[in-house]
Amino acid sequence: MATSPSPSSSIAGDSPAIVTWQLPVPRTAARTVGVSVALLFAAGFGIFLGGKVVFGLLGPLLLLPVVAQYFRAPQFRLTGDVARAVWGLTVTEMRWSDVRRATQVGNEIHLSPLAGSDVRQEFRGVRLRLPAPPLRDEVIQAVRERLPGGLLEEG
């Protein structure tokens, strides 16, 4: 499903979007119950340890940024300058000129600033979760056009 998210960009001079998309949030009862139980446990633990209701509110407030990704659909945006992924409250973006390696594995493209295969590879760069066809082919083509050298490795 195409959409036009508009998170603020930390990279100046961001050009208009070429492709934008967002993935649906999987709504399952187990996931909702699990997150709710974790927040209630944090509240109870805060009240138990601190002895005051204010400490009970502090626990869930500290966990809220972490669990926000379970309630908000991941959004992706490709522009002429950057590739951006927004997961919950986390915004990850990378200039196309900084991409040294791009790998497509299954339903995901990983853009990395590291040229070789490295242990740090998994923790660096931007991960673009691919949408369903026909937009999937458009995203792959847009990534190939913007990559330095145009090489998208299959991994």
Side-chain angles (χ1 to χ4, degrees):
M1 150 185 357
T3 183
S4 59
S6 58
S8 62
S9 174
S10 62
I11 297 178
D14 196 14
S15 60
I18 295 165
V19 182
T20 60
W21 71 98
Q22 78 178 34
L23 300 177
V25 176
R27 300 278 184 205
T28 61
R31 175 179 264 188
T32 305
V33 169
V35 170
S36 300
V37 166
L39 292 175
L40 287 173
F41 179 76
F45 195 69
I47 292 172
F48 176 72
L49 283 182
K52 297 188 181 192
V53 175
V54 89
F55 292 115
L57 295 174
L58 188 61
L61 285 176
L62 291 173
L63 286 177
L64 200 56
V66 175
V67 299
Q69 66 184 357
Y70 292 106
F71 300 114
R72 186 170 175 205
Q75 301 174 350
F76 304 92
R77 181 177 178 168
L78 304 179
T79 70
D81 300 327
V82 298
R84 177 179 300 125
V86 180
W87 294 79
L89 302 176
T90 305
V91 178
T92 308
E93 56 188 24
M94 176 183 274
R95 290 182 188 272
W96 291 110
S97 59
D98 294 336
V99 176
R100 301 291 176 255
R101 184 175 187 194
T103 310
Q104 181 180 352
V105 179
N107 284 339
E108 194 172 85
I109 294 177
H110 183 222
L111 305 174
S112 174
L114 304 174
S117 183
D118 193 332
V119 175
R120 299 173 295 163
Q121 186 83 16
E122 291 298 316
F123 306 104
R124 303 287 302 269
V126 176
R127 292 193 179 276
L128 303 172
R129 197 66 68 80
L130 295 172
L135 188 57
R136 176 187 179 103
D137 299 328
E138 183 180 343
V139 169
I140 292 171
Q141 183 61 32
V143 169
R144 280 196 174 120
E145 289 173 0
R146 272 139 200 90
L147 286 176
L151 182 63
L152 179 60
E153 300 174 11
E154 296 286 329

